[in-house]
Amino acid sequence: MPPDDLDKTLAAMPLRVGTYVPDDLLEDWFAPGTGMNPVSEDALKAAEAYGRRFECEFKYYPERQEGVFWKWVPAI
């Protein structure tokens, strides 16, 4: 389970700003015990669902070994 501070961070995060989470924490927080090399699909799906709770997008970047939460910018 992600720490409460991440909830607060994503809730308060302004548009176009990202929060980067290393893959070991993604696995620990969103699908503990499922393995980490590569990050499990369960962890990635849970992280994506978690981000939506805060109106955030989520994308995993395997080459950087991290996931990113960000608030998208509506079309102008």
Side-chain angles (χ1 to χ4, degrees):
M1 170 159 272
D4 290 340
D5 286 343
L6 186 58
D7 292 3
K8 294 172 190 170
T9 299
L10 296 186
M13 192 165 56
L15 298 177
R16 300 177 57 207
V17 173
T19 297
Y20 300 79
V21 180
D23 55 6
D24 61 322
L25 292 179
L26 287 172
E27 201 68 48
D28 287 347
W29 292 347
F30 297 106
T34 58
M36 192 194 81
N37 200 5
V39 174
S40 71
E41 283 298 315
D42 290 344
L44 298 178
K45 287 178 185 177
E48 184 177 1
Y50 172 79
R52 283 194 302 267
R53 290 179 30 209
F54 301 96
E55 299 178 346
C56 290
E57 301 287 327
F58 174 79
K59 181 164 172 101
Y60 178 67
Y61 294 91
E63 68 280 4
R64 295 181 350 207
Q65 297 181 315
E66 65 187 7
V68 181
F69 294 97
W70 76 95
K71 291 196 177 172
W72 61 278
V73 179
I76 297 175

